[in-house]
Amino acid sequence: MLPPACSLAEIQRRMDEVRRFLSITLSVANAHTVEFYTHDVWQRFVAVPPEEVLSAVRSDSGQQREPEFKGKDQSRTTFGFCTDTKRLVDTHELLQAAKANSLPGLGVCWSRDELLQALRESRSESGAPPADTGSELEPDEFMNFKKSHEVQSMSEVVACLAQRCGVKQVIDVGSGKGYLSSFLSLQYGLRVYGIDSSSTNTHGAQERNRKLKKFSRAYQKHTKAEKAQGEATRSPQEELGEIKPGLNGDSDVLCGAGEGTVLQEEAKVLTSLSDVNPAVERHSEPNPDTGELFLSALSVDVIQTTSPRIPPSQLSAEERERRKRENLERKALNRAGSASAVFSPLTSHVTAETELRELIGELEDAVMVGLHTCGDLAPSTLRMFAAKPELAAVCSVGCCYHLLSEECDPAQEERSHGVCGFPLSQYLRDQSWFCGRNARMSACLALERVSLGQGIQMESLFYRAVLHVILRDHYSSYKSEKRVGNVYAKAKSFVDYVRRALRRLELDESKLSDTDIQDYHDTYRPRMGEMHAFNMLKVTLAPCIEGLILLDRVCYLKEQENVSLSALVQLFDPLLSPRCYAVVGLKRPSREAGTLWNLGRLGSPRLTGLETPFLGSQTRSRWEKDRQGKRRP
């Protein structure tokens, strides 16, 4: 059974709770670290020492405590902020409120196991066969640990959604280098179309496709030679070790490489695979476990199994004719090109208005997915899902909230009339809610990682804030549109950092001596603790801001009449993958198709939610033929 589902009204109530909390605290998240000293941010927002804030963050266990600020009546605070001064006076009250207004505290999320169990139960109740996964494929053979965790966790959910909806196609929006797309095709036999705006990523995905086929041919050649010669000199593991180094070696081709190095690392693998070691053709006793593991890693359309060789003279006329026909069909399929690909990578900029059938000529009913789709692409994915009848389900994991466009920016005289990424739901749009870029940037912070001492480089932030003081005191262009960039990584000291930054900004560095620059550092160094404590407050608020953004997306799906199920699901371990929540949706059938299905096939007056099969364009066409008497259901 499904866990208790939140109705639209319940989601809206939860959004109201988070909005009330953020209406008091969002100004902290929107404070810019660069202006920390020039705008005296600590004194503006906090009335307790930084040591108390850091101590509270480290030791807070969610228990009720005495107010830290003894001079104020606790009844005159809201979420730890004084109602008169608007400054933080009780850190523990703030931390407890932040926990309560995060997604785990709100109790609106499903676990991945709960969703999988519900999908499998509904599938078994409808009599559908279980999903065929073949032998287990280990993705960490081809990608780093983080990406392996993400791909394995999400692909099982996507495969269950596809099985539940009775579809075999998947559209991977923002597919990047094709990690998820390849695994869905290899492990679950799904036809995947990966759409990415970067031609470099598309090219990399095509090269991977070619390497997997070459890998398959090399392995089959190896096993064929073994059978023919019948002698064992080397193990299959050793032979494969000479073929596979480019797939999972230092270059980390199938995952973990930076976008700019894709082609270089692809070249390394292509070299290792194109010059197949002669040892591949040597003979050894085949290991059936090894062969099964590898062959199960490749989709059926990649593998061409070999049968024992029979001399043509011993074949019957019928057998010769059958083999000739099969060879002609196989050649025709090969000429068809992409039809036999592991998955089909496409290059296109996708928006909510994109016509998928113009990109994919063979498009049928499909599941739309997105693994860490940046900025506006995640809400565009949900808009497409709601608008396109051929999309049966969606599973979207967004990221890069700072790249979202906002509709209700108070700095603009008029409301944006274009399609914006936030707010997405009509409910939040009607309230003209605005987060701000700095707050959305704060939402990208990883609370779980920071709690373990990872994630924030305090010294680089400190250097930049003090540089801003120098620019204010000595240069009139400290609000220049030019960016300092990542000069901290190359700087050997604070003086070196400032001089590199001034040259980057094209400012006269001769105005300041090294002693002058060092004096600024020494003056503000004792206040570095304030910056550290303030950033910890921003990290504490991050899950609440992210939660509102994601609740807005679920609310949007619940507002759509054609969506039967929508939920937030935690797919990943937040320590491994901080953006760990997926928005999952399932379509309800159209009225006509649903009636035909229910009355003609199931004999049930009405099924709802997960119990109702998705009826897309292919099914509607079939039932139209049934109704015309061409075929009985």
Side-chain angles (χ1 to χ4, degrees), residues 245-274:
L247 285 177
N248 61 354
D250 295 336
S251 61
D252 196 18
V253 171
L254 291 188
C255 185
E259 301 292 337
T261 62
V262 175
L263 297 182
Q264 297 176 0
E265 295 179 351
E266 296 288 1
K268 297 178 185 178
V269 180
L270 287 175
T271 302
S272 68
L273 288 178
S274 59

Side-chain angles (χ1 to χ4, degrees), residues 560-571:
Q560 311 307 310
E561 294 183 355
N562 62 344
V563 176
S564 63
L565 170 73
S566 53
L568 270 178
V569 182
Q570 182 176 336
L571 289 188

